[in-house]
């Protein structure tokens, strides 16, 4: 083949360069330049709380050795925007000059960084003095004594799963989910969380297999939990009386319901702040559990900083148990003694 003339070669290179795809750099604005109201509306937190969160995980999200990449500030705020506003990752990324793929990686990275701090923010009381303080806070709700936590499960919707185990993620309402167990205190702070069980798993089984139950069984706590009728009555876990026979039992139920409502309010506030918990998680299953724990950490940080805004009309995927586990004689005796002591007329 005859060699191309030098002018022909130059012309061919120019044609190739003219069809080559140009890399487009998206502009990034400074979220902290927004006023306080707009910032909280977009990023679910006050600026001071967001700054605390960024500083908490900064070392895990630092730039590379050349000083390039996405700053910890943009990474954290991008992830929070994705989780909080029910926006697809591409839309959230557009606000910060990031591609969809980069936004997805950032959400995973930030979730893992936050989850590493879970032991510092999600914990049951470690001293009797702390238990007494929590008992007093619950008692002020409806005069129900010796309570250190309210427990319940909530379903977090996930993407359709494949494989042989897919059917076990379908709950009674017919959608794929994880059944997440949460124990909270009187200030709606999450004290314990179990986020690994498939949607078809019964609430009582999750508790029976948890380390929390083991700690109560071995006497680590002097107080007790309140749960709904989906849990088995235990000396350390009181449930409602399904058919009260006298006024004392009715008063017990009224106080129980009003006090245990704390955990339902906790779910409402948690899911109100992070809409992905309310409408469904779109990330891969292996990242869902880590993200749920990370969102529990963020929820507790908001409570600690007084950054909680209660709104009415918040609903969540509540699933009432159809099964009532049988209680043993000793648990029934402990409950009756408790009612006679604290709720007798």
């Amino acid at each position: 083949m005859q060699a191309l003339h030098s002018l022909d070669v130059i012309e061919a290179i120019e044609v190739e360069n003219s069809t080559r795809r140009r890399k487009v750099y998206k502009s990034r604005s400074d979220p902290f330049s927004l006023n306080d109201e707009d910032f909280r509306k977009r990023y679910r937190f006050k600026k001071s709380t967001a700054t605390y969160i960024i500083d908490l995980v900064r070392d895990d999200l630092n730039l590379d050795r050349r000083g390039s990449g996405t700053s910890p500030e943009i990474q954290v705020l991008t992830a929070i925007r994705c989780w909080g506003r029910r926006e697809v990752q591409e839309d959230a990324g557009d606000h910060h000059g990031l591609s969809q793929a980069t936004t997805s990686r950032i959400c995973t990275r930030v979730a893992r960084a936050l989850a590493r701090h879970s032991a510092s923010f999600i914990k049951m009381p470690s001293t009797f003095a702390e238990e007494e303080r929590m008992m007093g806070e619950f008692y002020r709700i409806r005069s129900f004594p010796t309570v250190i936590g309210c427990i319940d499960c909530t379903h977090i919707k996930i993407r359709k799963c494949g494989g042989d185990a897919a059917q076990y993620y379908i709950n009674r309402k017919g959608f794929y989910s994880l059944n997440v167990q949460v124990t909270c205190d009187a200030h709606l702070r999450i004290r314990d969380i179990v986020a690994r069980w498939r949607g078809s798993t019964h609430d009582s089984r999750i508790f029976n297999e948890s380390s929390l139950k083991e700690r109560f069984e071995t006497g680590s706590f002097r107080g007790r939990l309140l749960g709904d009728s989906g849990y088995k009555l235990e000396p350390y876990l009181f449930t409602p009386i399904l058919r009260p026979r006298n006024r004392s039992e009715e008063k017990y139920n009224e106080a129980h319901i009003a006090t245990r409502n704390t955990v339902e309010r906790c779910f409402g506030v948690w899911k109100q702040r992070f809409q992905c918990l309310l409408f469904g998680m779109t990330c891969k299953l292996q990242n869902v559990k880590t993200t749920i724990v990370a969102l529990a950490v963020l929820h507790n940080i908001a409570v600690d900083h007084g950054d909680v805004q209660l709104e009415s009309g918040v609903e969540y995927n509540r699933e009432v148990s159809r099964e009532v586990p049988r209680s043993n004689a000793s648990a029934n005796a402990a409950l009756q003694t408790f009612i006679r002591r604290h709720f007798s007329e």
Side-chain angles (χ1 to χ4, degrees):
M1 181 182 294
Q2 185 178 1
L4 287 173
H5 190 272
S6 60
L7 292 178
D8 295 332
V9 173
I10 295 174
E11 183 178 353
I13 292 174
E14 289 178 348
V15 170
E16 181 183 353
N17 289 338
S18 65
T19 59
R20 183 176 296 169
R21 187 176 179 181
R22 280 187 170 184
K23 187 172 183 178
V24 178
Y25 294 89
K26 299 179 180 179
S27 61
R28 297 180 184 176
S29 58
D30 178 15
F32 286 95
S33 64
L34 298 169
N35 61 51
D36 293 340
E37 182 179 353
D38 287 343
F39 184 91
R40 195 179 195 283
K41 183 177 180 181
R42 293 188 184 187
Y43 299 106
R44 322 307 287 172
F45 293 98
K46 296 183 295 187
K47 288 183 180 179
S48 58
T49 311
T51 300
Y52 175 86
I53 296 167
I54 292 166
D55 290 339
L56 179 69
V57 296
R58 183 179 298 278
D59 291 342
D60 298 306
L61 306 175
N62 272 335
L63 303 176
D64 60 27
R65 295 179 180 178
R66 298 172 297 173
S68 60
T70 307
S71 68
E73 288 80 3
I74 295 298
Q75 291 186 59
V76 170
L77 295 179
T78 297
I80 289 176
R81 190 178 177 93
C82 288
W83 299 329
R85 290 173 57 84
R86 199 195 170 194
E87 295 183 348
V88 297
Q89 292 172 343
E90 188 172 2
D91 289 343
D94 283 344
H95 289 284
H96 301 102
L98 303 169
S99 67
Q100 191 277 334
T102 300
T103 303
S104 178
R105 289 192 296 270
I106 284 174
C107 288
T108 300
R109 190 181 307 130
V110 174
R112 290 174 180 172
L114 288 166
R116 292 190 190 103
H117 296 274
S118 60
S120 299
F121 292 94
I122 305 174
K123 54 186 177 181
M124 294 293 290
S126 57
T127 64
F128 182 59
E130 189 178 1
E131 284 193 63
E132 282 191 319
R133 177 179 58 77
M134 293 172 66
M135 290 179 196
E137 292 167 350
F138 274 113
Y139 186 82
R140 286 191 285 272
I141 296 176
R142 195 62 180 272
S143 301
F144 201 111
T146 69
V147 177
I148 62 170
C150 294
I151 187 170
D152 200 1
C153 287
T154 184
H155 286 268
I156 307 298
K157 188 176 181 181
I158 61 175
R159 296 192 310 185
K160 182 177 179 179
C161 301
D164 297 335
Q167 58 182 322
Y168 299 111
Y169 286 94
I170 302 176
N171 60 34
R172 288 196 180 100
K173 291 188 177 180
F175 61 85
Y176 291 81
S177 71
L178 290 181
N179 196 7
V180 179
Q181 176 182 282
V182 166
T183 303
C184 77
D185 64 19
H187 293 294
L188 314 186
R189 185 183 290 101
I190 296 175
R191 290 286 183 166
D192 186 80
I193 186 168
V194 180
R196 61 185 179 87
W197 289 90
R198 301 162 181 167
S200 63
T201 310
H202 193 275
D203 294 3
S204 62
R205 183 189 174 188
I206 297 175
F207 179 68
N208 289 337
E209 299 288 338
S210 69
S211 60
L212 182 62
K213 179 181 179 180
E214 182 180 358
R215 295 179 68 187
F216 274 97
E217 292 275 3
T218 56
S220 298
F221 307 109
R222 299 189 185 184
R224 57 173 47 91
L225 300 174
L226 297 185
D228 63 16
S229 57
Y231 293 95
K232 179 183 176 182
L233 176 66
E234 300 282 1
Y236 51 80
L237 199 168
F238 280 176
T239 60
I241 296 176
L242 296 182
R243 289 176 289 275
R245 299 167 296 179
N246 51 56
R247 180 55 186 157
S248 295
E249 292 184 352
E250 289 175 353
K251 289 170 64 178
Y252 163 83
N253 270 1
E254 291 168 1
H256 185 287
I257 292 171
T259 307
R260 198 194 65 81
N261 184 58
T262 304
V263 70
E264 297 187 5
R265 291 173 55 225
C266 175
F267 287 145
V269 172
W270 190 30
K271 293 187 176 186
Q272 166 193 299
R273 186 183 299 271
F274 302 111
Q275 297 286 301
C276 62
L277 297 172
L278 187 61
F279 296 103
M281 308 284 285
T282 59
C283 56
K284 296 179 180 178
L285 182 59
Q286 60 263 34
N287 295 327
V288 169
K289 301 171 186 178
T290 303
T291 302
I292 292 173
V293 173
L295 297 180
V297 171
L298 290 176
H299 170 81
N300 283 356
I301 290 174
V303 174
D304 292 342
H305 285 74
D307 196 354
V308 177
Q309 181 177 352
L310 302 179
E311 295 180 8
S312 60
V314 179
E315 299 180 354
Y316 60 92
N317 295 323
R318 175 95 173 97
E319 181 160 333
V320 180
S321 173
R322 298 179 183 178
E323 304 175 25
V324 180
R326 292 185 178 181
S327 57
N328 55 44
S330 63
N332 280 315
L335 176 59
Q336 289 302 318
T337 301
F338 180 86
I339 292 174
R340 286 194 299 269
R341 181 178 180 183
H342 298 286
F343 295 98
S344 60
E345 296 182 331

